[in-house]
Amino acid sequence: MAIEIQAPNSFSKYLTHNYITIFAGGSIEMNRAKPWQRRLVTAFKDYDDVVILNPRRNSWDSSWKQVAKNKQFRKQVQWELDGLESCDTSVMYFDPDTKSPISLLELGLFGANTNFRTNTLPKMHVICPKGFWRRGNVEIVCLRYSIPYCTSLTAAANSIKEDLEHYRRQPSQVNRGLLR
């Protein structure tokens, strides 16, 4: 079963060649966004070497001021940035019931990045169902920068699984023990 690490817990011990890390980015807006991250973890239930970095946390306090001086808020944002920078690949989900300005920001910051560790896995997979208010903008960014684009979580999970199988067939991965 995939391992799930929720913010703000440390994930550094999983940043090795023995694990594939997937950052679950995207819509989190409480009481608006569906808790889709659980479905992502379930989609990888047969993958013991997959670690899902989940920024949605059980201990979130909506009274926290969203300013850099607030230690709890800063720790959350830094955890997310660290996860996006260091993950092998990420999912960016745009829930049609949200505006998701932070997710749009993260798409802009990390979408076109190259995955230097694996060099074969796309750094980001985007899920943008019909109804998201800026779907056209998201589609155009994905087309321009060759970011895998799906309209459902199932399709994105299947795309990542195909990428993982391709990655595992690389000769360098056999030598590193990633093929079982």
Side-chain angles (χ1 to χ4, degrees), residues 103-149:
S103 301
L104 289 167
L105 171 71
E106 292 168 342
L107 170 62
L109 283 171
F110 297 100
N113 285 2
T114 301
N115 189 328
F116 295 108
R117 187 169 81 92
T118 65
N119 207 26
T120 57
L121 293 176
K123 186 64 173 179
M124 185 174 284
H125 292 74
V126 169
I127 307 164
C128 194
K130 289 180 182 176
F132 184 70
W133 75 298
R134 290 291 184 239
R135 183 175 186 218
N137 296 79
V138 172
E139 269 184 305
I140 292 166
V141 167
C142 290
L143 285 168
R144 183 174 189 129
Y145 296 103
S146 301
I147 301 167
Y149 177 90

Side-chain angles (χ1 to χ4, degrees), residues 1-4 36-45 52:
M1 175 103 190
I3 299 165
E4 178 184 15
W36 60 272
Q37 296 87 350
R38 173 65 26 218
R39 290 180 45 222
L40 182 66
V41 173
T42 301
F44 288 92
K45 68 180 187 302
I52 309 288

